[in-house]
Amino acid sequence: MTQARPMRADARRNYERLLRAAVEAFAEHGEGASLDDIAKRAGVGSGTLYRHFPTRRALLEAAYLDRIEALAQRADAIARELPPGEALVEWLNELALGLTRVRGLKSLLGSAVTDDGSAVATACGSRLTGAAERLVRAAQAEGSLRGDVEPIEVLRLTHGVATASELASGAGTDVRRYLSLLTDGLRAAP
Amino acid sequence: MTQARPMRADARRNYERLLRAAVEAFAEHGEGASLDDIAKRAGVGSGTLYRHFPTRRALLEAAYLDRIEALAQRADAIARELPPGEALVEWLNELALGLTRVRGLKSLLGSAVTDDGSAVATACGSRLTGAAERLVRAAQAEGSLRGDVEPIEVLRLTHGVATASELASGAGTDVRRYLSLLTDGLRAAP
DNA sequence: ACCTGAACACCGTTCAAGT
DNA sequence: ACCTGAACACCGTTCAAGT
């Protein structure tokens, strides 16, 4: 997965500058931030950006890798602290909050749980679906979650809940409330 | 609300040409369709498009007005046929299906139920919120819907459900299923 | 091997000139 | 009063030239 040969020193430096600039720009302007502006912030030519990150999504994914990783690890931590049903709900809450707070993160999850033709199994996508898989299966085994929902569906619905609460002004307060409606529905028998 | 003086004949003709071209273009390319292309299709200068529709949203709204109207009327028709709780669920199903099938319609509803600073009460927005208002209140009076949800919240959540099911390949089949999870949650006591 | 930045194509928006 | 289309600003993407 990692490149065979290490990067040349200047390439590595540009790569990291681009990543830092991207994190800043995405935070300021959302996932639509100007790529040209990101290259300028990083002090590199626009061609260099394309060399390292051939698509916007590749850059977005690289910029948010650590956040995704942290969310996945939270799943495991929570699973050790709470019984399965509560663990799932708690993790979904943290996930949904993250999706509304960190601009661009929601669209990243979106493309990770899409199954259109492309269906590029992104690194961050498989990390999150893996985490969801464990929590969902455990809750189903315990009987606190209906058995006919797939982990990826739970992620899609959480994405939807985050979208819905973004439409309200105080997105932070509504997300818990909207998510509880979803989890109430998920608990019910099919 | 309607203009004081009637439009000049050529203006009226251009207006309608633009509208037809917009319906076509939005259907083909989604809400992001090129405005310049729409003007070209209609055979008018780009400035004329801006004269009639100062923003993309204005054009989008005008293009979908009849669809919105039809959805609102369906709400009343269903309300006469079914008991309140079932009527709400049935209408939300038709709404969600419309949101996934008609490209651009979802974003239109989205801006109608957003309460950010702008909060322009669009014509189509108030039409849909009015319809939702009646169905929601009736279901709550009957006791088949929890009393602490607002009509606009139900619309936001339906928007979210449509978003979630768009992430699945066969959006049409998933939307009923995802919506039923939501309505299960909405039935539960608070 | 990698970087730079000019060049190209495309889009939204404005506005002077025309009828 | 309304229309046209050139002009401008901006953005993504490619690629020849440079180190």
Side-chain angles (χ1 to χ4, degrees), chain A residues 35-155:
Chain A
L35 296 182
D36 197 58
D37 175 55
I38 291 176
K40 277 206 179 64
R41 281 185 203 233
V44 305
S46 50
T48 303
L49 188 152
Y50 283 91
R51 162 169 284 269
H52 289 295
F53 307 100
T55 66
R56 177 184 292 274
R57 191 142 306 284
L59 180 56
L60 204 58
E61 189 166 351
Y64 286 135
L65 200 67
D66 54 343
R67 304 230 183 217
I68 299 287
E69 185 58 32
L71 276 167
Q73 286 181 3
R74 275 300 290 161
D76 298 333
I78 294 171
R80 283 190 296 269
E81 289 169 18
L82 295 174
E86 293 173 41
L88 176 62
V89 171
E90 175 56 26
W91 185 65
L92 291 181
N93 254 302
E94 294 190 13
L95 175 61
L97 266 174
L99 295 183
T100 55
R101 280 212 255 262
V102 184
R103 309 187 63 175
L105 196 55
K106 205 189 66 176
S107 91
L108 199 55
L109 173 66
S111 61
V113 296
T114 303
D115 59 274
D116 56 352
S118 66
V120 232
T122 62
C124 75
S126 60
R127 200 76 182 81
L128 284 185
T129 48
E133 184 94 29
R134 292 188 290 278
L135 291 176
V136 163
R137 296 308 180 202
Q140 286 174 331
E142 188 202 42
S144 55
L145 176 68
R146 49 196 282 173
D148 65 338
V149 286
E150 294 297 321
I152 200 169
E153 292 182 313
V154 174
L155 290 181

Side-chain angles (χ1 to χ4, degrees), chain A residues 115 148 153 156 169 177, chain B residues 115 148 153 156 169 177-178:
Chain A
D115 59 274
D148 65 338
E153 292 182 313
R156 280 184 200 135
S169 53
R177 181 170 149 65
Chain B
D115 58 273
D148 66 337
E153 292 182 313
R156 280 185 200 134
S169 53
R177 182 171 148 65
Y178 290 176

Side-chain angles (χ1 to χ4, degrees), chain A residues 110 113-115 146 148-149 153 156-157 159-160 163-164 167-169 174 177-178 181 184-186 188, chain B residues 110 113-115 146 148-149 153 156-157 159-160 163-164 167-169 174 177-178 181 184-186 188:
Chain A
V113 296
T114 303
D115 59 274
R146 49 196 282 173
D148 65 338
V149 286
E153 292 182 313
R156 280 184 200 135
L157 285 160
H159 173 101
T163 303
L167 296 173
S169 53
D174 288 78
R177 181 170 149 65
Y178 290 175
L181 288 172
D184 283 351
L186 287 173
Chain B
V113 296
T114 303
D115 58 273
R146 48 196 282 174
D148 66 337
V149 285
E153 292 182 313
R156 280 185 200 134
L157 285 160
H159 174 102
T163 304
L167 296 173
S169 53
D174 288 78
R177 182 171 148 65
Y178 290 176
L181 289 173
D184 282 352
L186 287 173

Side-chain angles (χ1 to χ4, degrees), chain B residues 128-140:
Chain B
L128 285 185
T129 48
E133 184 93 29
R134 292 187 291 276
L135 291 176
V136 163
R137 296 308 179 202
Q140 286 174 331

Side-chain angles (χ1 to χ4, degrees), chain B residues 33-176:
Chain B
S34 159
L35 296 182
D36 197 58
D37 174 57
I38 291 176
K40 278 206 179 62
R41 281 185 202 233
V44 306
S46 50
T48 304
L49 188 151
Y50 284 92
R51 162 170 284 269
H52 289 295
F53 307 99
T55 67
R56 176 184 293 273
R57 191 142 307 282
L59 181 56
L60 204 58
E61 189 166 351
Y64 285 136
L65 199 66
D66 54 343
R67 303 232 183 215
I68 299 287
E69 186 56 32
L71 277 168
Q73 286 181 4
R74 275 300 291 159
D76 298 334
I78 295 171
R80 283 191 296 269
E81 290 170 17
L82 296 174
E86 292 173 41
L88 176 63
V89 170
E90 176 56 25
W91 185 65
L92 291 180
N93 254 302
E94 294 190 14
L95 175 60
L97 267 174
L99 295 183
T100 55
R101 281 211 253 262
V102 184
R103 307 187 62 176
L105 197 54
K106 205 188 67 176
S107 91
L108 200 54
L109 173 65
S111 61
V113 296
T114 303
D115 58 273
D116 56 353
S118 66
V120 230
T122 62
C124 76
S126 60
R127 200 76 184 78
L128 285 185
T129 48
E133 184 93 29
R134 292 187 291 276
L135 291 176
V136 163
R137 296 308 179 202
Q140 286 174 331
E142 188 201 44
S144 55
L145 177 69
R146 48 196 282 174
D148 66 337
V149 285
E150 294 296 321
I152 200 168
E153 292 182 313
V154 174
L155 289 181
R156 280 185 200 134
L157 285 160
T158 304
H159 174 102
V161 163
T163 304
S165 52
E166 268 179 7
L167 296 173
S169 53
T173 52
D174 288 78
V175 66
R176 277 202 102 83

